[in-house]
Amino acid sequence: MNRAGDQAGLMGGVCRLCGTSTGQSGQGWVTCGTCGAVYRDPVPLTPSGVPMARDEQRLSQRAWRRALALAADLPAAPRILDATPAGGALLAALATLCPQAILIRGDALPWAEVVAAGPFDLTLLMDSLDVVPEPLSLVRQLAGVLAPQGRLVIEVSGGEADSLLRLTSASLGWALNAAGLRGIPAKAGQARLAGHLWQEAVRDPEFHHSSQGGRSLAGLPHRLPSRPGAEWDRLLSSEGTRVFYWGIPFEIHWTMASLVEAGVEAMRTRRLFRVADLNVAKVVEAWGDADFRQALLTADAAVVDGMGVLWGLQWLGNEVRERTTGVDLLTVVMARCAEQGWRPYLIGARAEVMERAVQCLRLRHPALQIAGWHDGYFSAGQDQEVAQQAAASGADCLIVALPYPRQDLLLEKIHRQTGIPFAFGVGGSLDVLVGDRRRAPLWVQKCGMEWFYRLMQEPARLGPRYVSTNSRFLWALCRLRLARRKG
């Protein structure tokens, strides 16, 4: 189907965009003979020839605000591409405001015809980037058909149950850069939905663009419940520093010394810096938990904790500097806080364990000033109350000792609200600190068998978990290795 539509016959209806009935043609997709808009049929019709009033077009006020902002920078006869499956009111509002516009619905045409109709002054991609199997391929395609001064507008939902991933401003910025685009101040971002991500971008003049043909937008599913694809991982990865697998970031350049220095700098400058740590169980959990994956994506540092993750990343060809464990980070940071006069705030464990942990820390570091603490037995509904208590303490460092994924979900939720600069999780480290659990000897740690030492202490609790998560993780690694060989 081309822009003129299938001239199969006169429909005799009324265009829902411009309100006229002149030259309506096509089956399924109808082309208006007056404004050139393409719309779905059947649609609600008014009597033939009667113009529709603006308020009868059922365009939301939000769509109008967006369209007014975007149309201000468009030429007199703009080319507009809607790459969104099923479309929406924004395209209808733009069609009404720009009667000379050439409107192309990407999901109704083969990609070759979309390319031929370009380049486009405005391209819309609303509420779909997080649900396509290879989102960067789509962004690169759309970048290739933008006019030199064209604008790409992307809106991403706040995260549906069937989303492939939840994008952040940072991760969307990486995707745009990989496609040769750069973000610009939003014209219509003030009209975004609450909890949604809105980004406008233009072509980067220093990037070489070429049109990416051969793929039909009609084949892109509206919803696909699976994880992000390999291309997303490859293009978001930075060699030697940050690699992505299964939509999860692994920052392989950190050492304990560099991580502590980053935390110290954050406390010194009052800049927010949050650390997430990854072991095999957490990686497997993140595959099926979009909220947990979001917490990892938005962390300032997602470091390697478990030996299984370290060995797996090395097997895939990555040079991992070292593992950084929560208990080691706790030990070093507490010593630095005592030296510099910084005050930590602790959350987690049972009340009596927390009290003993505070006593142990004070005995080890007599100069340490603890801003406050709260046990870990509170519901999600009390998160804000706990955050307010932490914020009121004026602490410099926030340490959370909770099971996964609760620990990272809580940190993501309250860190910014507390205003405490440096935040990280330590899991069950407080139990080790007070002596309720024994840590493996140093020689066992160095040979990478600390996990086995823990298993011998708690076989009933850890045995089933290790069997389940380790086997699934190993199988996923094997699939990645096999895919590389085939590729």
Side-chain angles (χ1 to χ4, degrees):
M1 175 178 173
N2 57 28
R3 178 182 171 274
D6 179 6
Q7 304 296 324
L10 185 66
M11 301 299 294
V14 175
C15 175
R16 59 175 173 158
L17 301 182
C18 70
T20 67
S21 61
T22 305
Q24 309 298 299
S25 61
Q27 297 286 340
W29 282 96
V30 179
T31 301
C32 175
T34 299
C35 70
V38 181
Y39 59 92
R40 292 187 184 277
D41 177 76
V43 295
L45 301 177
T46 59
S48 177
V50 179
M52 296 174 66
R54 178 170 294 181
D55 60 349
E56 293 175 335
Q57 296 177 23
R58 300 176 185 269
L59 303 176
S60 70
Q61 292 300 314
R62 181 176 288 104
W64 275 109
R65 292 198 302 271
R66 292 174 170 180
L68 285 167
L70 293 171
D73 287 341
L74 292 176
R79 293 174 181 263
I80 301 175
L81 169 64
D82 186 6
T84 305
L90 177 56
L91 183 65
L94 286 167
T96 305
L97 292 170
C98 307
Q100 302 301 316
I102 298 174
L103 306 175
I104 301 296
R105 286 296 306 273
D107 62 344
L109 298 172
W111 181 248
E113 293 188 31
V114 173
V115 174
F120 297 96
D121 303 291
L122 177 65
T123 297
L124 308 173
L125 184 60
M126 319 304 279
D127 198 24
S128 57
L129 187 61
D130 59 332
V131 295
V132 296
E134 297 291 352
L136 287 178
S137 290
L138 178 56
V139 174
R140 293 175 71 182
Q141 283 184 301
L142 299 179
V145 295
L146 270 184
Q149 304 300 320
R151 181 186 299 251
L152 172 63
V153 177
I154 297 175
E155 183 177 34
V156 181
S157 69
E160 304 295 338
D162 49 1
S163 295
L164 298 185
L165 74 166
R166 294 183 177 182
L167 288 165
T168 64
S169 297
S171 59
L172 181 55
W174 297 330
L176 294 174
N177 291 338
L181 300 170
R182 59 180 177 85
I184 58 173
K187 284 285 185 179
Q190 71 276 11
R192 69 179 183 274
L193 290 167
H196 283 217
L197 181 63
W198 181 280
Q199 180 65 62
E200 298 176 30
V202 296
R203 298 178 67 160
D204 187 341
E206 298 181 2
F207 191 93
H208 175 70
H209 292 266
S210 62
S211 178
Q212 305 287 326
R215 182 176 177 183
S216 173
L217 289 177
L220 295 176
H222 183 54
R223 289 286 187 261
L224 180 64
S226 83
R227 292 188 296 274
E231 183 183 2
W232 176 268
D233 290 335
R234 179 176 59 82
L235 290 176
L236 286 186
S237 297
S238 301
E239 185 176 356
T241 57
R242 183 183 178 101
V243 295
F244 275 75
Y245 295 104
W246 314 289
I248 301 170
F250 301 86
E251 301 201 17
I252 58 178
H253 67 290
W254 289 106
T255 64
M256 179 60 70
S258 64
L259 190 63
V260 170
E261 289 307 314
V264 167
E265 180 66 13
M267 289 188 283
R268 186 182 66 81
T269 61
R270 306 300 296 179
R271 178 180 61 85
L272 296 184
F273 182 74
R274 175 166 60 88
V275 178
D277 60 287
L278 288 158
N279 58 28
V280 169
K282 288 186 175 183
V283 171
V284 173
E285 177 75 18
W287 288 345
D289 189 333
D291 291 327
F292 186 32
R293 192 162 63 245
Q294 172 77 352
L296 299 176
L297 281 167
T298 56
D300 299 288
V303 302
V304 176
D305 182 340
M307 283 302 303
V309 173
L310 185 143
W311 287 337
L313 293 176
Q314 290 176 336
W315 194 48
L316 294 175
N318 302 286
E319 184 179 346
V320 186
R321 299 289 297 276
E322 63 181 54
R323 60 189 286 247
T324 53
T325 67
V327 64
D328 289 331
L329 186 60
L330 173 66
T331 301
V332 178
V333 170
M334 290 300 94
R336 295 294 294 271
C337 285
E339 292 173 5
Q340 302 294 328
W342 289 312
R343 304 163 65 239
Y345 190 97
L346 293 87
I347 299 174
R350 302 190 307 275
E352 60 94 8
V353 172
M354 176 61 76
E355 291 175 1
R356 290 160 56 202
V358 169
Q359 293 175 2
C360 287
L361 289 172
R362 285 173 171 168
L363 286 173
R364 289 188 183 184
H365 311 286
L368 180 65
Q369 302 177 40
I370 299 177
W373 61 89
H374 195 291
D375 67 75
Y377 285 78
F378 56 93
S379 67
Q382 297 173 288
D383 288 350
Q384 297 304 319
E385 178 184 344
V386 173
Q388 290 171 3
Q389 293 176 15
S393 73
D396 304 287
C397 179
L398 176 63
I399 301 167
V400 176
L402 292 172
Y404 75 92
R406 169 68 168 150
Q407 173 177 278
D408 293 283
L409 294 175
L410 178 67
L411 278 169
E412 184 202 24
K413 183 177 181 181
I414 72 171
H415 180 212
R416 186 171 297 277
Q417 180 182 344
T418 64
I420 299 174
F422 186 25
F424 60 95
V426 297
S429 299
L430 296 187
D431 293 313
V432 176
L433 178 66
V434 300
D436 288 352
R437 292 181 187 169
R438 290 176 296 168
R439 194 177 183 194
L442 187 60
W443 69 269
V444 176
Q445 299 176 39
K446 288 184 176 180
C447 68
M449 296 300 292
E450 188 172 8
W451 64 272
F452 185 74
Y453 188 89
R454 292 186 60 203
L455 177 62
M456 292 300 97
Q457 292 187 77
E458 302 179 89
R461 184 177 76 89
L462 297 179
R465 190 187 88 179
Y466 281 0
V467 170
S468 173
T469 58
N470 288 357
S471 59
R472 293 172 65 188
F473 183 67
L474 179 59
W475 175 240
L477 290 174
C478 291
R479 291 179 63 184
L480 281 178
R481 288 266 296 196
L482 183 61
R484 284 187 176 186
R485 291 184 179 182
K486 288 184 177 180

